Amino acid sequence: MASDNHDPPVRAEELEEKQPTIAQNYVPSASVRTVHTLRNQQALKHQQKQSGKKPPKSVLGFKHQLLLGHVSLLTDLACVAVHERSVSEYQARTYIISADRDEHIRISRGIPQSHIIEGFCLGHTQFVSKLCVPAWNSKLLISGGGDDYLLVWDWLTGRIIHKVDIRGIVTEFYIKPFAVRSLHDQQTGLGDLSSGHDKPIAVSDIHALEMTSSVGEPRRQILVTLESTAILQGNVIGVAISRYQDRIACSMNVDYVDPPSSPSKEQEGRHQRRVVTFLDFSPTNKAWGRNAGLEMAMDKSINKSDKYHEAKGDNDFFACCRSPEIASTLTLQPIDRYEGLIDAAIIFSDILVIPQAMGMTVEMLDKKGPHFPDPLKSPSDGQYEALMGREVDVSTELDYVYQAITMTRRKLKGRVPLYGFCGAPWTLLCYMVEGGGSKLFVQVKTWIYKYPTESKRLLQKISELCVEYLALQVKAGAQIVQVFDSWAGELSPASFKEFSLPYLRYIAHHLPLRLKEMEIEGVPMVVFAKGAWYAIEDLCESGYRVVGLDWLQDPAEAVKIARGRVVLQGNADPGVLYGGRKAITEVVQNMVQGFGGGKQGWIANLGHGVTPFVNPEDLKFFFKEIHRVANAGSHPSTVL
C-alpha cells in the first residue's frame, strides 16, 4: 500500500539511472529431498534450469511509503473515521482495518500513524476474505471468509457482538424455489437443490444497504454473497449495487465452472459460462426479487444484534442508564425480540447507581467492567465518615430511574409486568471497597473482620437507601422488585448470617411498611443470593415471596427445602447456551423435572443472566424449550 505525494514527476532517464539491479545468482530454496509430488518435482526442474542466471530486478518507479505490513496476503481493507467527543467538540479519528488470508483482522491507526497497531479482532478460524463497516454505525464491523459464520464486532474493543450461522441459514432456505433471471440462459443458474448442502461455504462479498421507503420507513439490509453453494452453483466474482426510486438493484457476476481454489485441470475441455444474476429489493414488500428468504434471514440475524448499539449510540453505559428514553428502549428490546416467549421485563439500570447517589464515582470500563477510581480504603481515610454523614436523597439523585420505569410501563401497555431492582447491601459494600470486581476479595474481607462495627454501620445505611429506592421504583410503576446479592457466595455460612442476611431481612421487612406509609399497594419481592446454596432455608424465612437460585443448587433439593413456602426462580447454567440445541434441551428437561414438572410455584430463569457471545437464536430456542417441556405438565411455568 503506497501513499500519494505531490513531488515533481521523475523523468524516464533519471529513473533508468536510479534503478538498482540484484546480481546474486538465483538458487531454488527447494530440493529433491523436500519435494515429493510429481507436479512439484516438475516445477523444481524448471527452477533449477534458471540457476546461475542473473535477472535484473527493478524497484518501484515512483516514490512510495510502506504503511502496512501483513505476513500473508492482504484480502480486504476498510478505512474508517470515528467521531470522538473531546472537551468541546467532536473530532474524527481515522483507522485502517485490514484482513489477510490468515484468520487475523488488524486495527491500525490512520495515515500517517498507520504503523501503530491499536488491536486485533480474533475469532475466525479460517481465512478472512471480506470486511464491511455499515454506514449507519461506523463502530460495527461485519467479517466473513472461510468459516461457516459471519462475525459482528465492536471493532474498537475487539469484542464479538454476534455470530451469524451462515450454514444454518443456507440450509434452512435450501430447497425453496428461486426465480433467477439470467442474461445467459433463463434455464441456468439453478442446479440440483436436493444435494450439495454440505459443500464448503466461503463469503465472497458483504454489502450493507440502507434506504427509505416511499412512506419514510427506514430499511437496512445486509447482502452476503457466497461461493460454492448449490443456490447459484458457482462462485460470485463480482457484485454491483445500484438504486432507483425506492428500490435497490444488485447484479452479480457468477462463474459457473470453477470451484473455489480448484486446480485449473478440472475445467479442461469444459465450456465456461459467466452469468449475471439480477436481484432487486423493494422496501414496500420487504423482499428480494430472487429470494425472499436467504438475504432476509441474514439481515434479521445481523440487524437485531445492532439494535442495542443503535439505541446506545455514542453514550457510555451509565449515560444510557441516566437517559430514561434509552433505558426504556433497551428494556423493551428483549420483550419485542422474544415476544410471547418471556413473561416479564426488567428495567435497564445497574446496581451501582446507589453508590453513585452516595457520592462515589463509578465508571464502566471496556473489557474490565465497573471501576471505582477512589474506593473506600479504611474507616479513617476521611471518605468513610463523609459517606456516613452525607444526607442522600435518592428521590432526586435517581429520578432518571423512576422516569424510565414510568415510560416503560406506558410503552409495555400491559403486555408483561415490569421488574425493578437494587443491589444487596453486602454486594454493594464489596464494590465500594474493592473498587470493582475481584477474585480474592482481600479488601472487603479485611473490612468485615478488622472493622466489623464500621462495616455494619455502612451496611445499615445502604439498606435504608435500598428500601427508599425500591419504594420509589414501585411508585413509578415497578410491579415486582428483586434484590441481587451477587457476591453472597464469597461469605461463609456464618459470615453470611452476620454480614448479609440481616440486611436482606431489613429490606424485606421495611419495604412493605414504607409502601404502606406512601399509601401504595405492596408488590412481590425476590431475593437472589448467588452462591449461597447453604442459605436456602434462611432465605425462605427472610420475608421474600420469591427466592432465586443459581445453577449450583439442585432444583429437587431446593423444592424439598422450600416446602411451598416461597416461589422458586431459576436455575439453568448460562453456559449451556454455548453447548448447542441438544444440550439445551437436556438441561431444560432436567430443570423442569427438578422443579416438579412445570407446575405452579416456579419461575423459569437462567442461574445468573446471559453471558457474552451467546447466540440470540440459541437463547430463543432455550425459551421455546421451556414452554414446550413445561407445558406438557398440568400447569405452564412462567419464563423470565
Side-chain angles (χ1 to χ4, degrees):
M1 179 175 178
S3 63
D4 295 333
N5 60 70
H6 301 283
D7 293 336
V10 181
R11 291 180 300 147
E13 54 270 25
E14 293 179 354
L15 181 61
E16 190 174 276
E17 294 174 359
K18 294 178 180 179
Q19 287 182 342
T21 59
I22 302 176
Q24 290 88 351
N25 291 342
Y26 170 72
V27 178
S29 57
S31 69
V32 292
R33 295 182 179 180
T34 61
V35 173
H36 304 287
T37 66
L38 178 61
R39 183 176 179 179
N40 287 341
Q41 288 174 357
Q42 292 174 346
L44 178 60
K45 289 180 180 179
H46 177 73
Q47 292 177 6
Q48 289 173 337
K49 291 180 181 179
Q50 308 301 317
S51 299
K53 296 185 179 181
K54 304 176 182 179
K57 293 185 179 181
S58 302
V59 298
L60 293 175
F62 54 88
K63 289 188 176 181
H64 61 282
Q65 177 184 353
L66 180 66
L67 297 180
L68 294 173
H70 274 257
V71 175
S72 60
L73 177 67
L74 189 69
T75 56
D76 204 4
L77 195 71
C79 297
V80 186
V82 177
H83 294 274
E84 301 174 337
R85 191 169 187 171
S86 62
V87 177
S88 58
E89 60 183 2
Y90 282 95
Q91 296 178 339
R93 184 172 184 179
T94 59
Y95 296 87
I96 297 175
I97 307 175
S98 53
D100 56 34
R101 288 294 295 184
D102 293 328
E103 65 275 12
H104 309 125
I105 300 175
R106 192 167 79 181
I107 313 299
S108 306
R109 292 187 184 179
I111 300 172
Q113 295 181 308
S114 52
H115 60 283
I116 299 177
I117 299 175
E118 290 282 338
F120 292 88
C121 294
L122 303 178
H124 285 283
T125 60
Q126 300 292 330
F127 64 87
V128 181
S129 59
K130 207 63 186 174
L131 305 173
C132 176
V133 178
W136 59 81
N137 190 338
S138 62
K139 294 183 180 179
L140 279 184
L141 171 67
I142 306 167
S143 61
D147 290 308
D148 285 355
Y149 51 82
L150 297 180
L151 291 180
V152 183
W153 305 84
D154 175 356
W155 59 267
L156 283 170
T157 62
R159 182 171 61 90
I160 298 174
I161 300 171
H162 189 44
K163 186 176 181 178
V164 182
D165 179 14
I166 301 175
R167 181 171 293 281
I169 294 173
V170 169
T171 302
E172 180 180 356
F173 292 96
Y174 219 84
I175 60 173
K176 291 196 173 185
F178 301 106
V180 178
R181 290 178 285 159
S182 169
L183 287 182
H184 177 80
D185 183 353
Q186 291 186 354
Q187 301 302 316
T188 63
L190 288 177
D192 179 11
L193 293 182
S194 63
S195 63
H197 62 277
D198 58 344
K199 289 184 179 181
I201 291 178
V203 173
S204 59
D205 220 337
I206 306 173
H207 289 269
L209 311 177
E210 186 174 29
M211 61 193 140
T212 304
S213 70
S214 57
V215 295
E217 177 189 3
R219 288 293 300 162
R220 291 169 178 171
Q221 286 277 308
I222 305 298
L223 174 63
V224 180
T225 60
L226 307 174
E227 294 186 10
S228 191
T229 68
I231 293 174
L232 288 176
Q233 288 289 295
N235 305 329
V236 179
I237 58 177
V239 176
I241 304 294
S242 60
R243 300 171 183 265
Y244 60 101
Q245 297 177 359
D246 65 341
R247 304 173 76 89
I248 288 182
C250 168
S251 60
M252 295 190 299
N253 192 359
V254 184
D255 183 346
Y256 279 87
V257 174
D258 298 335
S261 304
S262 64
S264 58
K265 184 176 181 180
E266 292 190 15
Q267 55 183 302
E268 291 179 3
R270 295 175 57 182
H271 177 62
Q272 184 169 345
R273 296 177 286 111
R274 291 281 171 87
V275 181
V276 179
T277 300
F278 289 98
L279 314 173
D280 72 330
F281 180 84
S282 167
T284 303
N285 57 27
K286 299 182 181 179
W288 288 96
R290 181 183 71 88
N291 178 3
L294 180 60
E295 291 86 352
M296 289 293 289
M298 292 284 189
D299 161 68
K300 182 179 179 182
S301 186
I302 292 178
N303 275 339
K304 281 190 174 179
S305 69
D306 184 33
K307 287 184 177 179
Y308 168 81
H309 295 274
E310 181 180 349
K312 180 177 178 289
D314 293 328
N315 298 286
D316 63 26
F317 176 81
F318 283 113
C320 292
C321 294
R322 289 189 290 269
S323 168
E325 180 61 44
I326 295 177
S328 175
T329 298
L330 295 175
T331 300
L332 292 173
Q333 282 186 358
I335 302 302
D336 294 335
R337 178 166 190 164
Y338 303 112
E339 187 172 4
L341 294 176
I342 50 180
D343 301 310
I346 185 166
I347 194 66
F348 182 88
S349 187
D350 194 81
I351 63 173
L352 298 180
V353 296
I354 285 185
Q356 287 179 330
M358 297 175 71
M360 298 190 75
T361 299
V362 188
E363 305 168 342
M364 192 66 70
L365 303 181
D366 287 336
K367 301 182 181 179
K368 183 176 180 181
H371 172 66
F372 288 67
D374 188 20
L376 293 172
K377 297 179 177 62
S378 73
S380 60
D381 69 355
Q383 186 177 192
Y384 172 81
E385 288 301 332
L387 281 178
M388 295 303 302
R390 183 177 294 123
E391 291 292 331
V392 180
D393 183 3
V394 292
S395 64
T396 301
E397 295 290 339
L398 301 178
D399 181 62
Y400 56 86
V401 178
Y402 318 132
Q403 290 185 46
I405 290 174
T406 302
M407 185 181 297
T408 304
R409 276 293 305 275
R410 187 162 52 246
K411 293 179 180 179
L412 280 171
K413 297 179 180 179
R415 285 188 289 166
V416 294
L418 179 63
Y419 268 65
F421 68 92
C422 72
W426 159 250
T427 290
L428 295 182
L429 177 66
C430 288
Y431 280 109
M432 294 164 70
V433 173
E434 294 288 343
S438 177
K439 293 183 178 180
L440 300 177
F441 292 87
V442 173
Q443 304 305 323
V444 74
K445 296 293 181 72
T446 300
W447 266 76
I448 62 174
Y449 294 126
K450 193 172 185 178
Y451 314 115
T453 301
E454 291 84 352
S455 296
K456 292 175 182 178
R457 283 182 60 206
L458 183 51
L459 288 166
Q460 179 61 30
K461 183 178 181 70
I462 296 172
S463 302
E464 295 168 2
L465 293 175
C466 286
V467 168
E468 187 66 14
Y469 178 45
L470 291 175
L472 292 173
Q473 288 188 54
V474 175
K475 181 181 178 181
Q479 296 155 289
I480 183 171
V481 293
Q482 179 161 337
V483 180
F484 287 91
D485 206 352
S486 302
W487 298 121
E490 297 302 322
L491 292 168
S492 66
S495 297
F496 179 81
K497 290 184 177 181
E498 184 176 2
F499 294 103
S500 178
L501 185 61
Y503 307 100
L504 294 175
R505 286 175 171 165
Y506 180 92
I507 295 171
H509 178 71
H510 285 83
L511 179 56
L513 298 178
R514 178 59 180 140
L515 292 174
K516 188 174 181 179
E517 289 177 5
M518 300 167 67
E519 298 183 348
I520 299 174
E521 187 176 351
V523 298
M525 295 181 292
V526 185
V527 62
F528 176 67
K530 182 177 180 292
W533 53 269
Y534 48 76
I536 297 179
E537 174 65 34
D538 289 328
L539 292 172
C540 288
E541 293 293 332
S542 62
Y544 292 86
R545 182 70 184 92
V546 182
V547 174
L549 307 175
D550 62 35
W551 66 96
L552 301 179
Q553 297 165 329
D554 180 69
E557 287 299 317
V559 169
K560 290 179 183 178
I561 296 173
R563 302 191 305 278
R565 290 173 292 174
V566 297
V567 172
L568 296 175
Q569 177 176 295
N571 73 331
D573 180 358
V576 73
L577 297 179
Y578 301 121
R581 304 292 173 89
K582 182 180 178 182
I584 292 173
T585 297
E586 292 176 356
V587 167
V588 169
Q589 289 173 339
N590 292 335
M591 181 173 63
V592 171
Q593 182 179 2
F595 282 110
K599 298 178 181 179
Q600 289 179 332
W602 169 49
I603 300 174
N605 201 351
L606 289 171
H608 193 245
V610 181
T611 47
F613 312 130
V614 165
N615 185 337
E617 292 305 308
D618 288 337
L619 180 60
K620 183 177 182 179
F621 179 79
F622 171 74
F623 293 146
K624 285 184 175 181
E625 283 297 273
I626 292 175
H627 283 282
R628 182 185 66 82
V629 177
N631 287 346
S634 57
H635 297 89
S637 61
T638 300
V639 182
L640 298 182

